[in-house]
Amino acid sequence: MFDQLQPVPTDPILGLMAEFKADPNPKKVDLSVGVYKDEVGNTPVLKSVKKAEAFRLENETSKSYLGLAGNADFNSLITQLIFGEHQIIESSRVKTAQTPGGTGSLRVAAELIKRANPDATIWVTNPTWANHLSIFKAAGLKVEEFPYFDFDTMGLKFNETVETLSKVPEGDVVLFHACCHNPSGMDLNIEQWQTVADIAKQQKFTFLIDSAYQGFGSGLEEDAAGIRLLADQVEQMIVCSSCSKNFGLYRERIGAISIVGRDAIKTEITFSNTLNVIRAIYSMPPAHGADIVATILGSQDLTALWHQELNEKRERINGLRSFIATKFAEKGVPGNFDFIANQNGMFSFLGIDKAAINTLKTDYSIYIVGSSRVNVAGVNDTNANYLAESLAAVLNK
Ligand SMILES: Cc1ncc(COP(=O)(O)O)c(C=O)c1O
């Protein structure tokens, strides 16, 4: 039976990770993988997480199943983190289930959409996180891209976004990244969120918002502004969130799916279908990550510590963005990289071609994914000069 299967190429980013690991050059720089790194290139466990884990070790009383929706405290606290003190919470128009990471949440969302409307097309930004395409196609959904990022200006193509979304029919789904767009770093401003909300009301499509970086852009509240504006104005939407980045819980696989419905009854019906979808995929989520997040968000002291740690990460990333733009100019890298300083989150495109990306890897041990997306958190005081000088050498050849 398996003889018919063809080999599948390694995921390009995972392949680069392996090459980087095997590279003996002491000057090697990894800008490929999408995890936060500190000044010395590590991805340490947060202190707030360590404290919550110690508490959990002492206080956990059972290993029995959690239930389809997972940890109820986590679900309620994460709903508040995403939506704030929003009227949809008071009016029972939102219900959240814990999922295995943001990826698990997106897959549950895809199955739910397929169940609600098997003919739905899901519209994603061009470009988007590569796994979006795989997740939605694996669930049997049609996927289309709408214009979003402009490689000529390194900004948004918002007029073209509007033009395409104005033709999306009722019953389709449009996916936006809540903040820190992966891979471009370009986000909608609040007026642009309002514009897309107006188009959705007119066209009657449904939003699916992917919130994988809340707190990494401008702040926890600011990064949720788009979601909260939509929650004020649209009747239905889905929010898929992840605690991988903002709590640094990558390998614990913790995220959530939040269903917003027209009224409490409709929300309950959609949510019961969500739980039914979950039952048939993984039955119930794991406990550890949700317990850590619930312990942190349920304690004022741990929340304060977590805020402090998250602020440090965000400030480091934003500081690095200006630092990189200045360093590139100082070392004579051809072109203007000021756009890096104006984008959000961990990612930006350098806009360089594949030949340059390859030379950077083979001759300088600098690892960048083929699209020229870089993880700015991979830059630090030790490697910045080397990076800028190598880039200048390659691009000025
Ligand atoms: C845009 C986006 N969405 C979702 C995810 C999924 O995160 P996870 O499944 O690790 O929680 C990621 C992770 O890189 C991402 O960049």
Side-chain angles (χ1 to χ4, degrees):
M1 159 177 177
F2 300 123
D3 293 344
Q4 305 189 35
L5 295 177
Q6 298 301 314
V8 178
T10 325
D11 178 289
I13 298 186
L14 302 183
L16 274 183
M17 268 168 79
E19 279 186 76
F20 177 80
K21 212 170 163 199
D23 189 336
N25 185 348
K27 288 182 159 176
K28 64 184 176 178
V29 181
D30 180 17
L31 302 180
S32 63
V33 65
V35 298
Y36 176 81
K37 290 180 186 171
D38 66 13
E39 182 52 35
V40 285
N42 293 332
T43 307
V45 183
L46 298 187
K47 292 190 197 81
S48 49
V49 166
K50 279 280 185 202
K51 287 185 185 226
E53 281 183 315
F55 179 83
R56 171 168 159 73
L57 200 62
E58 279 300 306
N59 293 282
E60 188 181 36
T61 52
S62 174
K63 293 285 186 194
S64 179
Y65 290 119
L66 270 182
L68 304 178
N71 180 322
D73 290 339
F74 167 84
N75 290 338
S76 130
L77 290 160
I78 212 75
T79 308
Q80 280 169 38
L81 189 71
I82 298 168
F83 295 95
E85 299 294 317
H86 203 282
Q87 38 93 10
I88 60 165
I89 300 178
E90 260 167 61
S91 53
S92 306
R93 281 188 54 218
V94 57
K95 291 207 70 156
T96 298
Q98 175 198 335
T99 56
T103 306
S105 168
L106 287 160
R107 180 60 193 256
V108 171
E111 298 290 345
L112 180 70
I113 292 163
K114 180 85 180 156
R115 181 182 286 201
N117 178 10
D119 297 325
T121 294
I122 176 141
W123 295 79
V124 297
T125 58
N126 179 8
T128 193
W129 181 48
N131 212 19
H132 280 150
L133 307 175
S134 314
I135 294 167
F136 300 130
K137 285 182 182 163
L141 286 172
K142 280 174 274 165
V143 185
E144 293 268 2
E145 293 179 327
F146 60 89
Y148 186 79
F149 185 70
D150 187 342
F151 278 93
D152 292 333
T153 63
M154 292 309 217
L156 292 180
K157 292 179 167 176
F158 194 64
N159 288 343
E160 290 174 52
T161 304
V162 167
E163 203 181 307
T164 304
L165 294 189
S166 302
K167 294 181 199 135
V168 170
E170 180 168 2
D172 278 3
V173 174
V174 173
L175 186 153
F176 273 97
H177 302 217
C179 65
C180 307
H181 182 266
N182 179 7
S184 76
M186 279 307 298
D187 294 331
L188 299 187
N189 64 31
I190 205 70
E191 288 79 26
Q192 290 165 329
W193 278 112
Q194 182 59 59
T195 304
V196 297
D198 290 339
I199 301 172
K201 284 183 266 179
Q202 175 196 303
Q203 293 301 111
K204 300 194 167 42
F205 59 70
T206 303
F207 284 109
L208 168 54
I209 306 298
D210 183 0
S211 181
Y213 297 92
Q214 188 180 356
F216 266 49
S218 308
L220 280 168
E221 305 302 314
E222 294 85 341
D223 292 349
I227 293 180
R228 294 176 190 177
L229 179 145
L230 297 184
D232 283 341
Q233 302 191 22
V234 301
E235 292 190 328
Q236 304 181 337
M237 76 170 159
I238 302 174
V239 178
C240 295
S241 56
S242 165
C243 303
S244 298
K245 322 283 167 161
N246 52 8
F247 286 87
L249 286 170
Y250 308 88
R251 67 174 64 168
E252 299 300 348
R253 312 308 302 133
I254 175 66
I257 181 166
S258 300
I259 304 293
V260 177
R262 195 166 282 135
D263 54 38
I265 293 169
K266 292 273 187 223
T267 307
E268 196 56 58
I269 294 170
T270 311
F271 192 67
S272 67
N273 276 274
T274 310
L275 296 184
N276 189 252
V277 162
I278 286 173
R279 180 72 171 142
I281 307 180
Y282 53 84
S283 189
M284 291 175 203
H288 193 68
D291 213 61
I292 293 166
V293 174
T295 303
I296 293 174
L297 295 179
S299 144
Q300 275 188 359
D301 289 349
L302 289 183
T303 299
L305 178 58
W306 174 61
H307 283 176
Q308 189 190 319
E309 294 181 286
L310 184 59
N311 291 349
E312 278 167 21
K313 287 188 190 189
R314 182 177 59 253
E315 278 160 21
R316 187 177 121 71
I317 292 169
N318 288 338
L320 274 171
R321 287 187 162 280
S322 308
F323 176 66
I324 292 168
T326 311
K327 191 58 87 186
F328 282 8
E330 185 188 305
K331 298 288 178 187
V333 181
N336 182 345
F337 290 88
D338 287 352
F339 64 85
I340 295 180
N342 303 325
Q343 295 172 341
N344 293 318
M346 289 201 292
F347 307 112
S348 281
F349 287 116
L350 290 186
I352 60 176
D353 64 25
K354 287 212 164 30
I357 292 169
N358 203 35
T359 310
L360 282 166
K361 185 178 84 176
T362 50
D363 296 4
Y364 298 89
S365 300
I366 294 173
Y367 290 76
I368 297 175
V369 288
S371 62
S372 89
R373 186 200 80 167
V374 290
N375 176 2
V376 298
V379 179
N380 54 45
D381 281 339
T382 316
N383 66 23
N385 281 333
Y386 177 66
L387 170 67
E389 283 159 10
S390 309
L391 198 57
V394 172
L395 297 182
N396 284 319
K397 232 186 221 167

